[in-house]
Amino acid sequence: MFFKLDIHTHILPREWPDLKERYGYGGWLRIQHSPNDKNRATLTKDDGRFFRDIESNCWSVTDRLREMDKTGVDVQLLSTVPVMFSYWAKAEDALDLSRYLNNHLASVVREHPRRFLGAATVPLQDPELAAEELKRAVGTLSLQAVMIGSHVNEWNLDNTKLDPFYKTAEDLGCPVLVHPWDMETGGRMSKYWLPWLVGMPAETTIAICSLIFGGVLERFPRLKLCFAHGAGSFPYTLGRIQHGFEVRPDLCAVDNDVPPDSYLSRIYSDSLVHNEESLNFLIKVLGEDNILLGSDYPFPLGESCPGKLIEESNQSSKVIKEKTLGQNALKFLNLQIKDFIWYVPIAMKLYSLDKCK
């Protein structure tokens, strides 16, 4: 019986305004609920192009709580769906949308403060506005973290224009979750779901390397960063990255001369790797204190029974399981288990994993 805090989950409002009408130009996402099935909806671009089908657990708190109880998840950290970051838009419009989404997140957390936490979204195309919204999200809305994309249009995450945002996150003690997004989808990547299967891990690795090589972790030594989807390809290419730094410092060490492997204690990752051997290697590379349960709920590329891979691992001790399922996330988010565990009826935790099959 483990305390489980899932730090990688997504939620949307059931409805939101017509954003094309609200801002006066296109490119936005809209939600269309099925007239024949109250549990299904379709996300489309405002020009009618299909984006994704979703189910009611993406917006219904009641459905979400029922599934959390079924799978033994005590607490979820909620964040928006990355497509809603809208870094491509005018900054003031992305700020307005961020405020709308953050207000929604905060309302869900207020209604169920022992089951949900919130990770804000901010308009990173304008780092000063992003910093101001982060202050509001943490100070006024009491959200516990912020989620950002793996790049901001043409900027990688080492761009010094982002420093005001990093400085604010560091000063607030607000952990930053980095999620891959905006992968290449055309040309050679147009088949076989390659953007999600291959592009996402590459995006995250680019983000981590940019933060290391660009000296962001040197400029902001107290900044907490966690990378979604098992830190992408980074743990498995670390040897190559380290070797490249050593043999071609003229190319790799141009902004920071600190070796990449010196930062491993600063790099957190969720547990979403789908394979026990990969999970064991991830723990070996980043350390048992730096892996946090993350499921990508409620999407199909996620773990359908959050934490099952960890719980059924034959190579992880009970201590490691306790850490990765919940304790590490509490520390990362600057929280304590006493803030949550009292509400859980013992019977609720005596679930069987076969419910997830």
Side-chain angles (χ1 to χ4, degrees):
M1 185 168 70
F2 297 103
F3 173 75
K4 294 166 71 171
L5 197 169
D6 188 346
I7 60 101
H8 181 181
T9 78
H10 301 290
I11 191 170
L12 288 170
R14 189 183 188 283
E15 297 177 325
W16 56 86
D18 183 323
L19 300 178
K20 183 176 181 179
E21 181 178 289
R22 187 181 183 98
Y23 303 129
Y25 56 96
W28 307 94
L29 207 64
R30 64 174 55 174
I31 186 169
Q32 297 176 310
H33 289 271
S34 170
N36 303 315
D37 186 345
K38 65 179 182 180
N39 295 318
R40 298 189 66 82
T42 300
L43 300 177
T44 62
K45 295 291 187 178
D46 50 30
D47 61 4
R49 285 179 295 139
F50 173 83
F51 177 72
R52 174 184 289 168
D53 287 326
I54 58 174
E55 298 182 0
S56 58
N57 54 7
C58 196
W59 69 80
S60 169
V61 176
T62 299
D63 291 354
R64 183 174 291 255
L65 286 169
R66 183 176 62 251
E67 293 183 2
M68 288 169 65
D69 291 345
K70 177 181 176 181
T71 58
V73 173
D74 298 297
V75 182
Q76 284 186 347
L77 178 66
L78 306 174
S79 58
T80 193
V81 178
V83 69
M84 301 297 279
F85 290 156
S86 305
Y87 297 154
W88 55 270
K90 295 178 182 177
E92 61 270 22
D93 299 331
L95 172 64
D96 181 69
L97 180 57
S98 294
R99 292 174 65 92
Y100 184 93
L101 295 170
N102 293 337
N103 290 344
H104 168 255
L105 275 178
S107 70
V108 175
V109 174
R110 281 195 303 270
E111 290 175 7
H112 304 276
R114 305 297 173 179
R115 305 303 303 274
F116 298 119
L117 303 165
T121 186
V122 294
L124 270 187
Q125 61 268 63
D126 188 322
E128 297 285 354
L129 286 183
E132 290 305 309
E133 177 58 12
L134 185 60
K135 292 176 185 176
R136 187 186 79 93
V138 173
T140 301
L141 300 182
S142 298
L143 300 183
Q144 288 76 19
V146 59
M147 177 174 277
I148 68 172
S150 50
H151 67 278
V152 183
N153 301 323
E154 297 302 314
W155 300 344
N156 279 328
L157 294 187
D158 61 323
N159 196 300
T160 56
K161 292 180 180 179
L162 294 168
D163 282 4
F165 165 76
Y166 293 137
K167 180 67 164 59
T168 300
E170 183 181 60
D171 289 347
L172 293 172
C174 180
V176 179
L177 306 174
V178 180
H179 195 292
W181 92 300
D182 194 28
M183 299 79 66
E184 175 61 47
T185 59
R188 295 169 57 237
M189 298 292 285
S190 62
K191 292 181 69 176
Y192 313 124
W193 214 25
L194 290 179
W196 276 259
L197 300 182
V198 178
M200 273 191 164
E203 268 294 322
T204 302
T205 307
I206 292 170
I208 297 173
C209 286
S210 296
L211 290 162
I212 290 175
F213 290 143
V216 176
L217 300 181
E218 288 295 307
R219 296 198 297 278
F220 305 101
R222 294 178 289 109
L223 185 65
K224 283 186 174 181
L225 293 157
C226 180
F227 298 88
H229 294 277
S233 305
F234 177 78
Y236 320 102
T237 54
L238 174 61
R240 181 180 182 86
I241 293 165
Q242 180 68 24
H243 181 70
F245 176 87
E246 293 169 355
V247 300
R248 293 304 306 266
D250 57 314
L251 298 178
C252 298
V254 294
D255 294 321
N256 180 23
D257 61 3
V258 180
D261 60 6
S262 301
Y263 294 105
L264 295 183
S265 64
R266 298 277 308 277
I267 297 172
Y268 293 79
S269 169
D270 74 12
S271 60
L272 190 55
V273 292
H274 302 288
N275 177 280
E276 184 175 355
E277 288 75 16
S278 296
L279 176 64
N280 294 333
F281 186 71
L282 180 63
I283 293 171
K284 181 178 180 180
V285 172
L286 297 185
E288 64 186 56
D289 295 322
N290 286 31
I291 309 305
L292 321 179
L293 171 62
S295 72
D296 200 20
Y297 177 95
F299 296 132
L301 198 53
E303 186 178 22
S304 59
C305 183
K308 182 178 180 181
L309 182 64
I310 296 170
E311 290 174 295
E312 293 190 341
S313 171
N314 293 319
Q315 297 186 43
S316 293
S317 66
K318 181 180 179 182
V319 170
I320 291 177
K321 292 178 181 181
E322 287 175 341
K323 286 182 176 182
T324 53
L325 287 168
Q327 292 179 6
N328 290 345
L330 288 171
K331 291 178 182 179
F332 181 75
L333 296 169
N334 307 307
L335 299 170
Q336 298 182 44
I337 196 169
K338 67 180 183 180
D339 298 326
F340 303 99
I341 198 64
W342 67 266
Y343 89 92
V344 184
I346 294 298
M348 185 183 297
K349 295 298 294 180
L350 298 180
Y351 62 94
S352 170
L353 284 175
D354 62 10
K355 293 181 179 179
C356 300
K357 295 179 180 178

